[in-house]
Amino acid sequence: MAPTQGVKTITTNVGWSVLSKTATFGLKFVTVPILARLLTPEDFGSVAVALTIVQFLAMIGGAGLTSALVVDREGDMATVHTVFWANLGMACLMALAIFLGATDLAILMGAPGSAGLLKIMALLIPLQLAGDVAYSLLARQMNFSKDAVLSTISESAAALIAVGLAFFGFGVWALVFQLFSAALIRLVGLYAVVGYMPRLVMRPRRLVPLLSFTTGLMGSEIANFVTFQAPMVVIARLLGLADAGAYSAANRFASIPNQVVLSAVMGVLFPAFSLMGDDRKRRSDALMLSTQVMTAVLAPAMFGLWAIAEPAMLVLFGPQWAYAWPVLGLLALSKAIVTPCSTFIPYLKGTGHGRVLFWSAVLRAIATTAAIAIAAYYGTLVDAMVALCVVNAITLIGYSWAVFRVDNIPFLQGLLTSSRSMITAFVMALGVRAFLHFFADRLTNPYLEVLAGGAVGAAIYALLFLLTERSLLRKIVELVRRRGMRDAASVPSA
């Protein structure tokens, strides 16, 4: 029988994952601006366009089978081996298809100069999919501490390699080596810590039960991928590779808080929600608490970046990127708007509501692609980012309605509870922008603007949070107190 997951287990694994992502964030916070100063917008755009194709086909090649392994905890090793070979075989076919069609794909994406990069980056697909089975075995065990260490090592080493190569004039290849280094180090590490060794065992019938879970999940994964990657494709085709590079660089930095928190939390919450079964009250409590905490952590970071985007662009990326500060600010704003949705995807995925997840993702993908395409066609990159913000505001309402309806949570009550910290963070950001505008004559240095804006924002948010989230603070304190009592009770007396 699968172990029952309590709040303690979930928070422990979330803690490990967040610790890993925070370490990676610290390095990326330094290396992304360095790379931006050493490379050009065209370099970022070329790699980003090629990577979009690779990631899309890698996702299709995996077919969601490894996610099904996480849920299918009763599956034996024959099933695991079968999934491994199915994944690897599909990965090789996808890599071959990219290699043969690289020129046509690059032209289709609006970046004909990326064909050579695309042929080489096709090898990333087997590297990525070969490690998915080992990761699924870790997720089955809820053993995210080992994955946290591996993620930190692989991402940190790859980032340092990229900076070194960029410094010595390798140009766009620095970004390519970063991707391959991270994938290879993580692949070797996963198999080392899990102790899994693939055997030549193929039982195609074992895939049939997994495919019933995979079908709905894959549709939603593809739709989510389109949502996040369609802007790059549309911008490259309609506005050019330089604007695509500006979008890519700004998006890399604006996504760091999400990479730190969301990727860590989603990886843990998916298997955790899947183990809660039909215990609706426990599920609902875990959903609302995790949503509130994630919003309280992410919203101030994203709204804060929007508030100081103009000086931050100069400080982080340098004068050559100064023109793109509205892109950085609007990207941060668009991500801030949907912070309450951070736990909705792993919740729907883990509780088996594949149909709700699929249609929510499809509608969001269609709306995002259409809005950005129309805005880019008739306007500029900034107009496209404004359109993204509007779509994300609609997404917040739509996703909240769908999820709260599934768990019989009153819509308005659930929306207010999950979004309260976001509203507080928005008020804080308005205060920071007003402060920077009022003291513009004194804060003439962008470094001073960033430091002053950050300090004022932290003070405002802390005060507003204490006034509006006392019930959440009590829950967290009580959770910590209970955990401390359980830990003390589990220690044997001398």
Side-chain angles (χ1 to χ4, degrees):
M1 180 179 295
T4 301
Q5 297 300 310
V7 174
K8 175 182 176 180
T9 305
I10 295 173
T11 52
T12 299
N13 283 290
V14 168
W16 272 108
S17 293
V18 171
L19 181 63
S20 161
K21 301 301 179 181
T22 302
T24 305
F25 161 77
L27 191 61
K28 284 187 175 181
F29 188 87
V30 176
T31 57
V32 170
I34 291 175
L35 288 171
R37 290 172 181 268
L38 295 173
L39 304 175
T40 66
E42 287 77 9
D43 290 335
F44 275 90
S46 297
V47 173
V49 168
L51 187 60
T52 298
I53 299 173
V54 169
Q55 288 179 334
F56 179 70
L57 293 181
M59 181 185 59
I60 294 177
L65 290 172
T66 49
S67 294
L69 276 182
V70 176
V71 177
D72 181 32
R73 294 172 179 266
E74 306 301 326
D76 57 17
M77 290 308 296
T79 303
V80 175
H81 296 319
T82 302
V83 170
F84 172 83
W85 292 113
N87 258 20
L88 187 59
M90 186 61 69
C92 291
L93 288 176
M94 291 293 184
L96 180 61
I98 289 180
F99 184 85
L100 296 176
T103 301
D104 292 334
L105 286 171
I107 293 173
L108 179 65
M109 298 287 285
S114 298
L117 286 177
L118 192 53
K119 289 182 178 181
I120 295 173
M121 290 172 63
L123 295 174
L124 282 170
I125 298 179
L127 279 178
Q128 291 175 351
L129 293 188
D132 283 356
V133 168
Y135 174 78
S136 295
L137 296 178
L138 273 184
R140 273 186 177 185
Q141 306 162 10
M142 294 293 287
N143 191 356
F144 289 93
S145 60
K146 293 180 180 179
D147 179 63
V149 174
L150 281 175
S151 296
T152 302
I153 293 173
S154 61
E155 293 293 338
S156 301
L160 291 175
I161 290 171
V163 170
L165 291 174
F167 181 78
F168 285 106
F170 281 80
V172 71
W173 296 107
L175 299 176
V176 176
F177 273 97
Q178 181 180 16
L179 296 170
F180 275 94
S181 300
L184 185 59
I185 294 170
R186 180 170 171 75
L187 175 64
V188 173
L190 278 172
Y191 281 94
V193 300
V194 174
Y196 169 67
M197 182 60 66
R199 295 185 179 180
L200 194 57
V201 176
M202 278 296 292
R203 303 283 191 273
R205 292 184 179 180
R206 301 289 179 92
L207 299 179
V208 176
L210 302 181
L211 289 173
S212 62
F213 172 84
T214 296
T215 304
L217 178 62
M218 269 309 298
S220 63
E221 291 288 351
I222 291 173
N224 283 326
F225 185 89
V226 171
T227 297
F228 296 118
Q229 299 299 330
M232 173 59 62
V233 179
V234 171
I235 291 167
R237 286 193 61 83
L238 297 180
L239 299 177
L241 205 56
D243 274 355
Y247 170 82
S248 176
N251 193 48
R252 277 189 175 213
F253 192 82
S255 297
I256 289 177
N258 285 349
Q259 291 172 353
V260 173
V261 179
L262 290 189
S263 57
V265 171
M266 290 176 73
V268 175
L269 288 183
F270 163 47
F273 280 130
S274 71
L275 291 174
M276 290 182 183
D278 297 324
D279 192 343
R280 177 166 291 176
K281 183 180 186 308
R282 201 150 152 250
R283 261 176 17 202
S284 297
D285 291 344
L287 171 66
M288 294 308 298
L289 179 60
S290 58
T291 302
Q292 285 181 276
V293 172
M294 290 305 98
T295 304
V297 172
L298 282 175
M302 303 314 302
F303 278 116
L305 181 57
W306 168 69
I308 61 171
E310 185 171 5
M313 201 71 183
L314 280 171
V315 170
L316 296 171
F317 292 87
Q320 65 170 330
W321 296 85
Y323 72 96
W325 78 262
V327 179
L328 176 63
L330 289 168
L331 275 170
L333 182 61
S334 70
K335 297 176 190 300
I337 292 170
V338 290
T339 47
C341 301
S342 56
T343 58
F344 292 172
I345 292 177
Y347 173 78
L348 293 172
K349 185 178 175 182
T351 54
H353 291 92
R355 181 172 296 182
V356 176
L357 181 60
F358 171 75
W359 285 112
S360 299
V362 167
L363 291 174
R364 183 183 182 187
I366 294 172
T368 299
T369 305
I372 290 180
I374 293 171
Y377 183 80
Y378 289 104
T380 65
L381 181 57
V382 173
D383 296 320
M385 296 301 97
V386 172
L388 181 61
C389 292
V390 173
V391 170
N392 280 0
I394 298 171
T395 297
L396 170 63
I397 303 299
Y399 254 124
S400 299
W401 178 83
V403 171
F404 297 152
R405 185 170 180 266
V406 162
D407 231 17
N408 293 327
I409 298 173
F411 172 69
L412 292 178
Q413 176 186 335
L415 183 63
L416 176 61
T417 302
S418 61
S419 303
R420 191 162 50 229
S421 293
M422 183 189 72
I423 298 170
T424 300
F426 179 62
V427 173
M428 173 272 293
L430 291 177
V432 171
R433 297 200 72 156
F435 168 81
L436 293 178
H437 177 74
F438 185 78
F439 289 99
D441 293 338
R442 299 183 183 181
L443 299 172
T444 55
N445 187 303
Y447 290 88
L448 287 178
E449 287 185 84
V450 170
L451 291 174
V456 171
I460 294 175
Y461 184 73
L463 177 61
L464 293 176
F465 185 81
L466 289 174
L467 293 174
T468 59
E469 295 291 352
R470 289 191 294 271
S471 61
L472 176 59
L473 286 173
R474 283 195 294 267
K475 288 180 184 178
I476 295 173
V477 170
E478 181 64 18
L479 178 63
V480 172
R481 187 184 67 82
R482 289 180 181 177
R483 179 175 178 177
M485 293 175 62
R486 284 195 297 265
D487 289 343
S490 65
V491 177
S493 58

